[in-house]
Amino acid sequence: MLTIPCPWCGDRDVHEFRYGGEAHLKRESRADTLSDAEWADFLFLRTNPKGDHAERWYHAHGCRRWFNAIRNTHTDTVLAVYKPGEKKPEVRK
Ligand SMILES: [Zn+2]
């Protein structure tokens, strides 16, 4: 069973959370000048690494706050969590 350590609530079952996608995406400020292909890339293309991945998570059945997590997608383990606005922590390789 996967547990996720919410930065405010501590360890909780994964079923209390909702996945929010890739973390640290930059908003596109040139949207009106992009081609359709470039706009589609911005909207739909995401990294999909086999390994450490920075993700957004929402504690839907808890404190109802968003936070970021570093999760290894290969082992499905959460290596670190951090609050929005905090610097992405370094995790061991
Ligand atoms: Zn929480």
Side-chain angles (χ1 to χ4, degrees):
M1 172 175 44
L2 178 63
T3 59
I4 297 176
C6 173
W8 291 277
C9 305
D11 287 344
R12 295 291 191 274
D13 187 274
V14 68
H15 295 104
E16 293 187 12
F17 297 88
R18 295 293 176 264
Y19 178 69
E22 185 174 344
H24 308 294
L25 293 177
K26 300 279 188 272
R27 298 286 178 203
E28 181 54 69
S29 60
R30 306 168 296 129
D32 55 340
T33 63
L34 296 178
S35 69
D36 288 346
E38 290 170 327
W39 183 242
D41 286 351
F42 167 72
L43 290 177
F44 301 114
L45 290 185
R46 299 291 180 259
T47 61
N48 188 20
K50 180 179 180 182
D52 297 350
H53 188 229
E55 303 171 334
R56 300 182 71 226
W57 285 86
Y58 177 63
H59 197 180
H61 298 287
C63 61
R64 303 178 78 177
R65 292 180 179 178
W66 286 94
F67 61 94
N68 298 315
I70 307 294
R71 183 177 64 91
N72 186 296
T73 59
H74 181 63
T75 61
D76 200 21
T77 53
V78 176
L79 305 172
V81 296
Y82 51 107
K83 297 175 182 174
E86 291 182 346
K87 186 178 180 210
K88 180 178 165 184
E90 294 293 324
V91 295
R92 62 169 174 66
K93 294 289 180 187

